Amino acid sequence: MTIANRNFILNADSYKASHYLQYPPGTSQVSSYIEARGGEFKQAVFFGLQMFIKEYLARPITGGDIDEAKTVFEAHGVPFNEKGWRYILEAHKGYLPIEIQAIPEGTLVPVGSAMVQVTNTDPNCAWLTSYVETALLRAVWYPTTVATVSWHCRQVIQRYMQETCDDIEGIGFKLHDFGARGATTEEAAALGGAAHLVNFQGTDTLSGIMAARRYYGADMAGFSIPAAEHSTITAWGRENEAAAYANMLQQFAGPGKLVAVVSDSYDLWNAIDNIWGDELRGKVEASGGTLVVRPDSGDPVTIVTETIERLMNKFGYKVNGKGYRVLPDYIRVIQGDGISQRTIEAILEAMKQRKQSADNIAFGMGGELLQKVNRDTMKFAMKASAAKVGESWREVYKDPVTDRGKRSKKGRLAVIRDGKGVVKTIGVQDLGQRVNLLHSVFKNGRLTREFNFDQVRINALQGAVAEGEQLEAVV
């Protein structure tokens, strides 16, 4: 059974149905844009629009869709623009007569920058630009917010790796996506999981891998390893905890292999000091691969630093070129409980204070990555900024005296990099010879520009801002 709505006419807020009767007479075009107005981050990694275009806009509406929408809206108590939708079906074969412009996916921009601009291409369909707001804004704000959260986590991890590691070669596997089971739907897991993979390569969210594969041509965007859960350990019984661990090594360990074992089902310190560090120490050292010990309860900062310290007491360590201690290559730690950008930084800072290198740790992030975000995390909005009424364009904007943070942009827009590389949103009339970063990606039913996943990742990596460099959004 599926509850997904495949009738695009019904993929909207109810009040959108009456808006076609509300524009000034003679309105032939409306131009709207999407931006993140602020919130928790100063920069945003734009991602996800291509998935929406391929899944929803590449297919035409049908007569059956119109019939269904008419029945629903009339019973629902709102007007239905049957004439307008039948015009789209007949004149455009059901494909939406709109053009969507967007900055390249993966691009890092300051909040307050236009990311997307939408305009109707048929003067008979000026109402359509704002009608798509509900679906289009949702398609942009969620994956962009997840990509942004993930990107900022990467900046924190990279900073500590640069301070405490000889190199940052392994950074792509330092934050693993554990969020699939906490996402509201499978589609959310797919969108958010793919967004995380813009910045990292570690994931247990198969839906995200499939989204990157289907919509961005990524053969394999993310990787995982064999790992234990509590049930596969506790099913052996408490008295056989060591045998459960030994089985994990027997089944999955070997030269060049990694295996993760949750080790706090009963007593984490006993597991480290007596089982891993004594009874099974020889097997761990001789495996030729890497055992990843996973604590899963307690205060993350205290647990991680103590876990690493106890493992060093049992397995030893080396001091790297930066003067920080590193466990032997055959043993590492992953913390997947209570992980957020804030706790990642707190853990890494505590490790630094104890001269423990960030090489020793990887993180798994679940709800904080895919679920504990909403449209207001970055204050996303889609607003009309221009309308052509009669023969001329007029500026369309809101400027509420009660909340100046909701002031919207005016006119048709362009996005540029100035001479210093600073991203700015300007009026299209001021573009001149400069390159507009808003490129057409969809027009009248056709994807006009396509990105592969490698390009998206490169854009995000290139957007890593040097320390002290400023991004600026101009309203």
Side-chain angles (χ1 to χ4, degrees):
M1 184 185 76
T2 178
I3 60 172
N5 170 35
R6 293 303 179 192
N7 185 341
F8 189 80
I9 303 172
L10 295 170
N11 192 354
D13 292 318
S14 301
Y15 81 142
K16 290 291 185 184
S18 66
H19 291 175
Y20 75 103
L21 297 170
Q22 299 179 29
Y23 288 98
T27 302
S28 59
Q29 281 187 287
V30 174
S31 183
S32 298
Y33 71 95
I34 293 176
E35 68 173 334
R37 294 180 294 197
E40 295 184 15
F41 303 102
K42 294 181 179 180
Q43 299 116 346
V45 178
F46 174 64
F47 178 72
L49 177 59
Q50 186 166 292
M51 294 188 283
F52 173 75
I53 290 173
K54 287 187 174 184
E55 183 64 26
Y56 291 96
L57 300 187
R59 63 180 66 171
I61 62 164
T62 67
D65 292 334
I66 297 172
D67 293 340
E68 180 185 38
K70 180 181 179 180
T71 300
V72 170
F73 279 128
E74 288 179 350
H76 188 43
V78 293
F80 177 56
N81 188 8
E82 182 179 2
K83 180 180 177 181
W85 285 108
R86 293 211 181 275
Y87 173 80
I88 291 173
L89 179 62
E90 295 163 6
H92 298 281
K93 298 181 180 179
Y95 292 103
L96 301 190
I98 58 173
E99 180 175 20
I100 301 176
Q101 296 176 304
I103 60 176
E105 297 211 18
T107 300
L108 182 77
V109 296
V111 295
S113 297
M115 301 176 184
V116 177
Q117 187 165 239
V118 189
T119 310
N120 61 291
T121 59
D122 185 322
N124 294 312
C125 300
W127 55 272
L128 187 58
T129 297
S130 288
Y131 192 92
V132 302
E133 175 190 353
T134 309
L136 183 59
L137 180 60
R138 182 174 55 223
V140 169
W141 81 252
Y142 176 66
T144 295
T145 301
V146 174
T148 300
V149 170
S150 177
W151 187 91
H152 280 85
C153 287
R154 184 181 173 110
Q155 306 319 301
V156 171
I157 295 169
Q158 179 170 310
R159 173 158 50 89
Y160 279 94
M161 289 186 74
Q162 289 171 332
E163 293 175 356
T164 71
C165 305
D166 286 336
D167 57 62
I168 63 168
E169 185 177 341
I171 191 170
F173 292 94
K174 284 295 186 180
L175 184 62
H176 204 89
D177 176 6
F178 283 173
R181 70 188 60 184
T184 52
T185 64
E186 196 274 339
E187 185 175 70
L191 299 177
H196 169 70
L197 290 170
V198 170
N199 305 293
F200 292 94
Q201 296 181 64
T203 185
D204 262 33
T205 301
L206 284 167
S207 300
I209 291 170
M210 296 310 299
R213 185 183 184 95
R214 288 170 178 161
Y215 301 114
Y216 294 91
D219 181 49
M220 181 47 63
F223 303 88
S224 189
I225 61 173
E229 68 175 22
H230 287 291
S231 72
T232 64
I233 300 301
T234 58
W236 291 70
R238 184 165 189 161
E239 68 280 7
N240 294 313
E241 183 180 6
Y245 294 163
N247 179 67
M248 291 297 296
L249 295 178
Q250 180 181 345
Q251 298 292 340
F252 305 111
K257 297 180 179 180
L258 291 88
V259 55
V261 184
V262 62
S263 301
D264 74 328
S265 296
Y266 307 110
D267 183 343
L268 175 64
W269 310 132
N270 177 65
I272 293 173
D273 295 342
N274 299 315
I275 302 178
W276 291 124
D278 187 2
E279 186 173 349
L280 299 178
R281 178 177 173 178
K283 293 181 182 296
V284 172
E285 294 175 338
S287 73
T290 301
L291 166 68
V292 183
V293 174
R294 178 163 73 93
D296 196 47
S297 55
D299 172 65
V301 176
T302 302
I303 294 300
V304 168
T305 52
E306 183 64 16
T307 293
I308 293 171
E309 203 66 48
R310 287 181 181 240
L311 288 171
M312 286 179 172
N313 288 339
K314 289 295 183 176
F315 293 96
Y317 60 85
K318 67 178 180 181
V319 178
N320 66 19
K322 299 284 181 67
Y324 290 85
R325 295 177 294 156
V326 186
L327 284 162
D329 291 343
Y330 54 76
I331 193 160
R332 288 291 184 267
V333 176
I334 185 168
Q335 175 67 22
D337 180 57
I339 294 302
S340 65
Q341 181 182 339
R342 180 185 60 79
T343 57
I344 287 172
E345 186 158 16
I347 290 167
L348 290 172
E349 178 60 29
M351 289 174 58
K352 179 183 174 182
Q353 294 302 317
R354 296 182 70 162
K355 286 294 182 179
Q356 298 172 352
S357 170
D359 270 330
N360 296 300
I361 187 76
F363 301 98
M365 195 168 172
E368 290 280 350
L369 181 64
L370 299 191
Q371 191 62 27
K372 290 187 181 179
V373 297
N374 56 52
R375 186 165 70 91
D376 289 331
T377 301
M378 300 184 69
K379 298 183 179 179
F380 263 94
M382 177 172 164
K383 297 298 177 186
S385 60
K388 188 175 183 181
V389 182
E391 297 300 318
S392 61
W393 282 91
R394 63 175 60 168
E395 293 180 339
V396 177
Y397 64 96
K398 59 182 287 188
D399 190 8
V401 63
T402 51
D403 187 351
R404 290 302 169 86
K406 290 189 174 182
R407 178 188 301 166
S408 62
K409 293 174 168 55
K410 305 175 183 180
R412 290 176 291 166
L413 307 173
V415 177
I416 62 159
R417 292 188 187 274
D418 69 10
K420 297 180 180 179
V422 177
V423 174
K424 294 183 177 181
T425 301
I426 62 173
V428 72
Q429 72 277 1
D430 300 321
L431 183 61
Q433 300 301 310
R434 292 176 290 189
V435 175
N436 188 356
L437 298 181
L438 288 172
H439 297 277
S440 177
V441 295
F442 174 85
K443 189 173 184 179
N444 301 340
R446 186 170 63 90
L447 185 69
T448 55
R449 187 178 188 187
E450 185 169 2
F451 294 91
N452 65 45
F453 208 66
D454 287 339
Q455 290 173 316
V456 177
R457 280 176 161 168
I458 289 170
N459 289 341
L461 286 173
Q462 289 177 339
V465 184
E467 186 176 356
E469 184 180 346
Q470 297 297 311
L471 289 174
E472 177 183 356
V474 178
V475 178

